[in-house]
Amino acid sequence: MGEYTLAGQPISKGIGIGEIFVYEEHGLELNRGNVQEDQLLNEIEKLEKAIAKTLYEIDDLKASFSKRLEKDEWFIFDAFRSMLQDEYFIEEIKDIIHHERYYAENAVDCCIGGYIKAIESSGNEYAMQSIYDMNDINARIIRNIIGDDQSKVMLDKISKKHVVGVRHLNLTLAATLGKRKISGIIYEAGAGYLSHAAIILRGLGIPAVSGIKFEDVKKIEGASVILDAEQGHIIINPVDTQVGEYKDLHKGGARRSSRLLFRRNKPTCTSDGYKVNISASVGSFEECESAGLKNVAGIGLVRTEMLFAHYKNFPDEQEQYAAYLRITKKMGHRPVMIRTADIGGDKQFDFLGSVDSSAVRSTRGIKYTLTNKEMFHTQIKSILRAGSGGNIAISFPMVDTAEEIREAKKVISRSMQKLLDEGTPVKKKLKIGAFIETRQGVDHLESILHEVDYVTIGTNDLLHQMMGIDRKKAASLRGEYLHPKFLRVLKYCIDKARKNNKPLNICGEIASDPTALMLMLGMGAVSFIVNPSKVEEVNDLVKSLNYRKIKELAEKALICKAIDEVKDLVIRFGR
Amino acid sequence: MITKDILVKNESGLGSKQAAMLIQKVSGYKSAIWIEKEERKANAKSLLGLLSLGIANGMKIVIRAEGEDEEQAAQELENYFNSGMGEAV
C-alpha cells in the first residue's frame, strides 16, 4: 500500500521517524468468585507481594525521571507511592478479602472502585483527573497479583526505532515507554493534554499524538512511519524524499515559531547606537528559564558539566538529549551555544572517579574529552539530536591548538554519520567554536580561527593562568583583569577575530564588571556572555554608555603601565 | 480537639499531587487528623480517602485534629491550604 495519513491530536510536539510497534496490554481477567476459608491467608500474601512489587516499579520510574524532569513533573510518582503506602487502604482491602472472601485482585478492584465512585459523585471536573491515576494504580496492582508476563516480554522488544501504538495511554505506561527512549507514541484514548502522562512525555521530548484508532494501528504493525506531532498525524509508508523533507521542515518549524519570540528581544545599543550582543551563561535548566524570559540574544554558554554535576554516572545519550532539548526548546529561535563537558584536571565530578591531581590544565576540557572518546561521542550525538529543531552551536573548552579542533570535527562528522545512518534527525549544519582560555590558545589563535566559526574568550581561566593562580583560590583576583598586560592580550584577540571576520564573545566575571565591560566595549568587543542574574544590569549599563567616549578611554588604558593607572583612568572617567 | 474552617482557593483543588504533598506534611504528627467535606470525612493520612472527597477550588472544608500535637498539625494544614498547595491562589 502506498503512502497515507492517519490524523489525531498533538499531545507532545516533535517529529518521530520509525517503525510501528503495536503494544497491546491483555485484558485483566478478575476472578470474581469466593476464596476457600483456608486460602484467605494466601490471598493476603499475594496482595502484599503485589503492593511491594508495584511500589518497587514506581520507585524505579521515579528514580529514572527525577534527574531528567523537573520536580513538578515527576512528583506524581510520589502520589502513587502514597497510595501504595496508605495503610488505611491496604487494611480496607484485607478486610474485604477476609469478610467477603474475595480474591485479592477483586478486593483491590472493589476497594479502589468504591473510591472512584465517590469522586464521580462529586461531579467535579478537576477531581475527576485523579480517577485516571487511581485506575492506573488499580490496573498495575492487579497485573502484579495475577501476573502478566506477556506485557513484560513485549516491552523488552521495544527500542528507540519504534513509534509505539497503544490503545489506552495512562501515566505508568507513558513513563515505562518513555524510559525506553522510543521515537514516539500514538494512542487512541487516555492521557489528555494536561494529564501527568502528557507532561512527562513533553518533558522527555517524546512526540505523541492521541485519537488514533487502535484498530487502524494494528493493521500497520511494522510499517515505517513519520509521526508528525506538530500537526498531529502519522504518515504511513512515506517516500524517501518525504523523510528528508520532514527533517528539514522540523527545523523550519522551530524557526518559524520562534521568530515571534525574537521580535520581543530588541538588540541592546549604546546611547550612540552601537549594537551590543548580550547572551546568558547557564549551568541548569532553571537558569535557562530565567534567561529565556529576559532580553538576551541567546544562550552563549551552556556549561554541560554543571547540568550533570550531581550525577553518579556520566549521563547517557538520552538523558543528555532530554536536557539539551529542553534548553533549545525554551530558547526557540535564539541561538544556544552548548559547550562540551569541561572536566578533568581540577574540575572533578563524581562520575569521573579519581584523577591524578597533578594533571590540571594539560588534561582539562577538549583534551580530556578527546582522550575519552566514548563519552565525547555520546555528548556530541545528543547535542546533534537536540539541535535538529533549534539554533545550536557546539563550543569546545580549553582549546590550545587548531589540531584539537580538527580532531573534534572528526568526532562530529562520525557522530553525525552514525545518526544519519540510523535515520535520526540531526542538526546538519552547525557552527562550532573554541573557548580560548589558555596562553597556548592565544598563541595559536590565528590558526584556530581558521578552523572555527567563532571564538569565546574564557577570561577567568585565562587570567588565572597568566597570573599563575589556581582557579580555586581565585577569589582574590577580583579587579586583576584591569591589568594593562591582560587588557592588551584581550585587545590582541579581539583584533585577530575581527581581521578573520569571526565573531568573538567575552565570557567570565569580567563581562559583568561595569568597569571591565566598558573597557572591553571600547576595545571593540561586541558580544558578552553573562550570568542570567546580571543580564538586566549589563543591558542598562550598555544603554548608558557612549561608544565614542569609551573607545577613547580604552585606547588610553591600553598604553598604561600599571593596573593602578588603569583604575585611576576609569575613576576619572566615571566622574 | 481542634477544628479549622478552610476555603479551598487553588485552581486544581486537592488533586493527586496536592494530596500526596498533604500526606507528607501530616504523616509526622501523632494526632488523628480528618478532613471533612459536607457530610463526608476522610483520614488525612490516607491518599485515596482524601481523593475520594473530590475537593475542588471554591469548596469549604473542615480540618479536625485530635491528639497531643493537634494544634501544630491543624496549623500546618491550614497554612498549606491557604498557601495554595504549591499553586497560585
Side-chain angles (χ1 to χ4, degrees):
Chain A
M1 200 190 289
E3 170 241 319
Y4 66 105
T5 311
L6 291 175
Q9 294 83 44
I11 295 292
S12 170
K13 296 219 175 227
I15 304 289
I17 297 170
E19 124 188 358
I20 290 283
F21 186 100
V22 177
Y23 179 77
E24 188 165 20
E25 282 188 322
H26 292 273
L28 297 171
E29 280 177 36
L30 274 59
N31 191 334
R32 304 278 190 192
N34 286 113
V35 187
Q36 297 292 321
E37 195 74 36
D38 59 351
Q39 289 298 305
L40 285 175
L41 284 178
N42 189 28
E43 288 304 305
I44 299 279
E45 198 186 317
K46 265 161 64 183
L47 171 74
E48 285 177 339
K49 275 190 187 156
I51 298 273
K53 189 169 180 219
T54 314
L55 193 58
Y56 171 81
E57 291 168 350
I58 297 295
D59 275 349
D60 186 48
L61 289 176
K62 181 185 161 187
S64 61
F65 293 126
S66 62
K67 294 275 159 58
R68 282 201 247 166
L69 299 173
E70 297 293 297
K71 189 174 180 191
D72 251 16
E73 292 160 358
W74 59 256
F75 193 76
I76 185 63
F77 294 113
D78 273 2
F80 278 31
R81 291 190 94 245
S82 303
M83 287 190 213
L84 293 163
Q85 289 178 315
D86 182 343
E87 51 182 294
Y88 302 93
F89 164 58
I90 311 281
E91 282 311 311
E92 203 179 327
I93 303 173
K94 286 182 184 169
D95 274 354
I96 298 174
I97 295 177
H98 275 298
H99 295 118
E100 308 288 337
R101 294 206 288 117
Y102 280 0
Y103 281 92
E105 67 265 27
N106 191 16
V108 171
D109 194 49
C110 287
C111 180
I112 295 185
Y115 284 110
I116 290 176
K117 271 200 200 98
I119 296 180
E120 280 170 345
S121 70
S122 79
N124 184 280
E125 200 188 325
Y126 271 111
M128 299 288 187
Q129 288 293 324
S130 48
I131 293 180
Y132 293 112
D133 298 334
M134 288 161 81
N135 272 324
D136 190 351
I137 206 79
N138 186 30
R140 217 162 231 256
I141 300 172
I142 292 174
R143 267 176 215 290
N144 282 332
I145 293 174
I146 59 184
D148 179 15
D149 295 335
Q150 276 172 305
S151 299
K152 170 90 178 65
V153 171
M154 215 185 331
L155 269 180
D156 284 341
K157 290 185 190 150
I158 297 176
S159 71
K160 65 176 182 182
K161 68 172 181 184
H162 289 126
V163 170
V164 181
V166 301
R167 188 188 299 277
H168 188 273
L169 187 70
N170 58 25
L171 173 69
T172 56
L173 182 56
T176 309
L177 292 171
K179 230 184 113 181
R180 295 195 175 255
K181 307 162 186 177
I182 55 175
S183 289
I185 297 183
I186 50 176
Y187 59 99
E188 183 169 333
Y193 191 83
L194 294 174
S195 68
H196 293 122
I199 291 168
I200 287 203
L201 291 176
R202 288 196 288 270
L204 293 171
I206 293 177
V209 168
S210 74
I212 308 246
K213 286 223 172 351
F214 192 61
E215 294 309 314
D216 293 338
V217 175
K218 274 164 94 176
K219 290 179 200 147
I220 53 168
E221 174 144 38
S224 64
V225 295
I226 295 171
L227 168 61
D228 180 348
E230 302 284 329
Q231 305 293 328
H233 61 239
I234 52 167
I235 302 168
I236 298 116
N237 301 323
V239 288
D240 287 351
T241 51
Q242 220 169 359
V243 176
E245 275 167 21
Y246 247 93
K247 289 173 184 170
D248 292 344
L249 185 77
H250 183 31
K251 288 177 219 160
R255 254 184 247 124
R256 262 199 315 279
S257 60
S258 47
R259 206 174 287 150
L260 297 166
L261 243 180
F262 192 68
R263 222 175 278 151
R264 266 190 273 144
N265 290 275
K266 293 184 221 124
T268 307
C269 293
T270 61
S271 64
D272 49 346
Y274 184 77
K275 266 185 213 162
V276 178
N277 184 65
I278 311 287
S279 62
S281 153
V282 302
S284 68
F285 183 70
E286 289 75 18
E287 281 187 320
C288 171
E289 269 202 308
S290 84
L293 300 172
K294 293 189 174 126
N295 193 16
V296 292
I299 303 287
L301 166 61
V302 179
R303 300 188 301 277
T304 57
E305 66 281 359
M306 295 311 295
L307 293 177
F308 308 114
H310 54 291
Y311 274 47
K312 286 222 167 53
N313 299 310
F314 192 71
D316 64 23
E317 189 182 318
Q318 190 67 15
E319 284 171 320
Q320 291 192 50
Y321 165 68
Y324 306 146
L325 187 69
R326 299 185 74 194
I327 295 176
T328 51
K329 275 194 174 165
K330 180 84 215 169
M331 297 310 290
H333 146 284
R334 290 183 276 179
V336 175
M337 299 175 184
I338 300 178
R339 186 178 72 184
T340 59
D342 182 11
I343 48 185
D346 64 341
K347 277 192 163 182
Q348 291 303 313
F349 294 96
D350 281 356
F351 51 73
L352 291 178
S354 64
V355 174
D356 180 4
S357 63
S358 67
V360 183
R361 286 194 179 78
S362 57
T363 56
R364 234 186 81 187
I366 192 169
K367 272 167 270 332
Y368 182 88
T369 39
L370 282 173
T371 51
N372 292 270
K373 284 255 171 69
E374 203 180 321
M375 192 188 264
F376 201 29
H377 267 288
T378 304
Q379 181 159 37
I380 297 287
K381 275 164 74 185
S382 51
I383 297 173
L384 292 173
R385 284 174 58 200
S388 74
N391 184 358
I392 60 147
I394 301 185
S395 315
F396 298 102
M398 290 266 160
V399 175
D400 282 347
T401 64
E403 180 53 32
E404 288 164 0
I405 294 292
R406 283 191 286 270
E407 234 189 290
K409 278 182 175 172
K410 282 184 204 155
V411 174
I412 294 180
S413 57
R414 270 203 299 275
S415 300
M416 193 174 304
Q417 196 52 52
K418 197 151 187 288
L419 289 168
L420 289 172
D421 290 347
E422 290 169 6
T424 311
V426 295
K427 179 86 176 170
K428 275 192 201 141
K429 282 183 193 150
L430 86 167
K431 294 197 165 120
I432 63 166
F435 264 79
I436 304 298
E437 40 196 341
T438 61
R439 189 70 223 208
Q440 295 82 341
V442 175
D443 288 344
H444 296 119
L445 185 58
E446 176 85 33
S447 57
I448 292 170
L449 279 165
H450 293 162
E451 293 292 338
V452 296
D453 302 296
Y454 63 92
V455 290
T456 300
I457 311 294
T459 54
N460 293 357
D461 276 300
L462 183 59
L463 181 68
H464 301 154
Q465 192 202 10
M466 285 182 61
M467 302 293 167
I469 297 169
D470 187 338
R471 66 197 302 274
K472 284 184 182 162
K473 300 174 190 138
S476 59
L477 264 183
R478 210 182 133 64
E480 288 293 316
Y481 38 66
L482 293 180
H483 203 290
K485 201 171 90 180
F486 189 61
L487 294 179
R488 283 194 283 272
V489 170
L490 295 178
K491 175 70 175 159
Y492 167 85
C493 296
I494 293 167
D495 289 348
K496 269 268 180 254
R498 174 159 296 175
K499 213 182 89 211
N500 283 278
N501 234 336
K502 300 276 166 80
L504 172 141
N505 314 298
I506 301 274
C507 175
E509 244 175 88
I510 193 169
S512 47
D513 177 301
T515 316
L517 179 88
M518 224 153 62
L519 292 171
M520 300 292 110
L521 259 176
M523 280 156 41
V526 291
S527 178
F528 299 89
I529 302 173
V530 304
N531 192 292
S533 65
K534 297 275 186 184
V535 167
E536 261 134 47
E537 204 182 310
V538 172
N539 259 316
D540 290 346
L541 174 71
V542 169
K543 284 178 200 156
S544 74
L545 296 170
N546 177 297
Y547 176 64
R548 199 180 42 79
K549 282 188 187 159
I550 53 174
K551 191 164 175 267
E552 282 168 22
L553 175 76
E555 277 161 12
K556 284 183 200 153
L558 282 165
I559 51 172
C560 286
K561 289 191 178 67
I563 187 165
D564 289 343
E565 278 179 59
V566 178
K567 286 181 181 166
D568 275 353
L569 205 64
V570 177
I571 291 167
R572 268 185 280 130
F573 179 82
R575 286 181 196 141
Chain B
M1 164 106 86
I2 183 166
T3 61
K4 281 183 190 285
D5 294 320
I6 303 284
L7 175 66
V8 178
K9 286 177 278 192
N10 68 309
E11 200 191 340
S12 314
L14 194 73
S16 307
K17 267 163 63 172
Q18 290 79 7
M21 247 189 289
L22 188 151
I23 285 170
Q24 288 180 3
K25 287 191 188 299
V26 299
S27 60
Y29 290 105
K30 293 195 180 97
S31 300
I33 307 163
W34 292 274
I35 306 285
E36 298 178 4
K37 193 194 95 184
E38 290 153 13
E39 76 286 2
R40 294 180 47 224
K41 75 174 186 177
N43 191 313
K45 293 174 185 174
S46 164
L47 187 85
L48 287 159
L50 286 176
L51 290 179
S52 68
L53 292 178
I55 294 173
N57 187 9
M59 286 182 179
K60 282 186 187 148
I61 58 163
V62 179
I63 298 170
R64 198 178 292 278
E66 187 169 12
E68 52 186 286
D69 49 10
E70 58 184 41
E71 207 136 321
Q72 298 96 301
Q75 189 58 51
E76 177 159 9
L77 273 191
E78 183 180 19
N79 294 345
Y80 177 57
F81 276 103
N82 286 340
S83 72
M85 301 191 275
E87 288 183 6
V89 283

